[in-house]
Amino acid sequence: MANDGIYYQEREAEIYDLEYAWKNDDVNYWVELAKETVPPDGTALELACGTLRVLLPVAESGIRVVGVDQSPWMLAKAKEKLEQKPDYVQERVGLLEGDMRTLQFEQKFNFIYLPFNTFLILKTAKDQLAVFEVARRHLAPGGVFAFDIFVPDINRIANQPRPPKWGNEVDQTLGELGLRFLRDSRTTYDPLRQQIFSTFRMKEYRDNLLQREWLSDLELTYIFPRELEHLVARAGFEFVHCWGEYDRTDFWKIHAPQKQLPVVRPK
């Protein structure tokens, strides 16, 4: 991770939308949850909004939403995308640069959400609890905080190859631009500290010629289901729901859930 703690710096922000063009399975989940939670005169808050992969569909559904991100490069891309939208969509969106651990707004929100495993960049209990406290300070009465994390794969952690091996994750081509993007990764796990260390090898081709190549490191933590229950309780919240799929199947009714999708509120 970069020295200033921001993973998505200029090069990562430039290719984010291409890198994650495949990721759309969660969008409807967040849109519908926002529509159910935010009243006509209410507002949502997306933490770590990035390039508005989720936020724009939420706004296009009729919800007023504020997006916050710590990366100025991601926000620059977000603003470029927002400017291409109709005025009535732009009017529903506010974008701010900030750290989700220390936000201080006067405004209250009916729905605060944090998609796509981003809660896991918070590697310490102190940082995790700080985000819960931000949610507590900024939730309107009756509001909820929702986030999305994966279920740790015990077999993968136990059987990690040594030394770690490179594996391809993304091979995306935009034919109309003559652009091809490849991302390989190798990952190691620290079971004691419950941390994941990933190195991504990025390659960008244009008309089949390599234009640039670079490495990017990312550190995450991982959280087990019972541990999540303790974390939520320690933060002074309670579960409204905990789903294991984007179709809202109860987490505890799934044989081998891949996701943890908690929706919580202050006690």
Side-chain angles (χ1 to χ4, degrees), residues 210-228:
L210 182 64
Q211 301 297 307
R212 55 179 177 167
E213 178 179 3
W214 73 96
L215 297 178
S216 184
D217 296 325
L218 177 63
E219 298 178 22
L220 299 173
T221 191
Y222 53 88
I223 299 173
F224 290 101
R226 292 298 185 189
E227 184 183 9
L228 177 63

Side-chain angles (χ1 to χ4, degrees), residues 55-167:
L55 187 148
L56 272 179
V58 171
E60 289 169 337
S61 76
I63 304 294
R64 288 196 298 273
V65 56
V66 173
V68 175
D69 203 285
Q70 194 175 6
S71 168
W73 301 279
M74 293 290 271
L75 284 176
K77 292 296 180 182
K79 291 173 182 176
E80 289 177 7
K81 290 171 70 173
L82 185 60
E83 288 170 357
Q84 303 303 312
K85 297 297 178 179
D87 288 346
Y88 65 85
V89 174
Q90 295 187 41
E91 290 167 0
R92 295 182 189 138
V93 177
L95 297 177
L96 296 168
E97 183 179 337
D99 186 330
M100 62 182 171
R101 297 167 296 184
T102 57
L103 294 178
Q104 293 279 0
F105 292 136
E106 294 296 327
Q107 187 175 0
K108 300 289 187 180
F109 301 91
N110 307 94
F111 180 48
I112 300 176
Y113 64 107
L114 179 57
F116 201 15
N117 301 318
T118 310
F119 189 83
L120 300 179
I121 69 173
L122 304 163
K123 298 188 293 293
T124 68
K126 179 181 178 181
D127 285 344
Q128 293 164 358
L129 291 170
V131 170
F132 273 102
E133 184 56 33
V134 164
R136 178 190 298 280
R137 287 199 305 267
H138 293 92
L139 280 173
V144 296
F145 173 39
F147 54 98
D148 168 351
I149 59 177
F150 58 78
V151 177
D153 186 333
I154 297 175
N155 291 323
R156 179 181 293 182
I157 295 169
N159 298 317
Q160 60 178 305
R162 295 182 175 84
K165 297 180 180 179
W166 289 101

